[in-house]
Amino acid sequence: MEVRDIFALRKEGHIEEAYELIRERYKSYHGHYTTLCMFWCASDMLQLHIEQGNVAEAEKILRALERMLPSMKDEEVVGNQMVKLRKIVEEACKTKKS
């Protein structure tokens, strides 16, 4: 399956399937589009985990995304998304502690 097909799955709402497929591809190849797809699928999974109340998994994904950040080329868009994700996880952590 091509990266564009994985992006299409993601857009169709098949978040978990797209995430698993791109994770397999990303293990052996870190090209530009593969990395972008990994970032956006992981971003979706982070948000899904937050919605499901699984903050610990969301935090793991956030840490992994932060490790990817230096290799990302679309810095502004990716940077803006990272700000959003950090806020989401921070809020979820506050809510969980209260």
Side-chain angles (χ1 to χ4, degrees):
M1 182 172 275
E2 298 290 324
V3 171
R4 70 175 165 255
D5 300 320
I6 299 171
F7 266 123
L9 273 176
R10 174 185 174 258
K11 289 192 183 257
E12 291 169 4
H14 302 283
I15 295 167
E16 293 166 297
E17 183 180 356
Y19 182 63
E20 289 307 316
L21 288 167
I22 198 61
R23 284 182 69 201
E24 282 302 311
R25 179 174 277 257
Y26 192 74
K27 285 179 185 177
S28 61
Y29 183 70
H30 296 154
H32 175 70
Y33 292 108
T34 303
T35 301
L36 277 177
C37 189
M38 182 67 208
F39 177 84
W40 289 107
C41 288
S43 175
D44 291 344
M45 282 302 295
L46 181 151
Q47 292 176 79
L48 181 62
H49 282 300
I50 291 295
E51 290 170 15
Q52 295 173 342
N54 194 349
V55 179
E57 278 302 311
E59 288 179 302
K60 287 179 190 176
I61 292 173
L62 182 63
R63 286 191 300 273
L65 288 172
E66 294 201 353
R67 287 191 302 272
M68 284 178 67
L69 204 52
S71 68
M72 302 294 296
K73 293 181 182 175
D74 295 336
E75 295 170 10
E76 185 176 344
V77 173
V78 169
N80 290 341
Q81 181 67 6
M82 285 300 294
V83 168
K84 176 184 170 186
L85 295 174
R86 286 181 191 116
K87 285 180 183 177
I88 290 169
V89 171
E90 183 180 301
E91 287 300 315
C93 287
K94 285 179 187 176
T95 302
K96 191 171 183 172
K97 290 178 183 177
S98 4

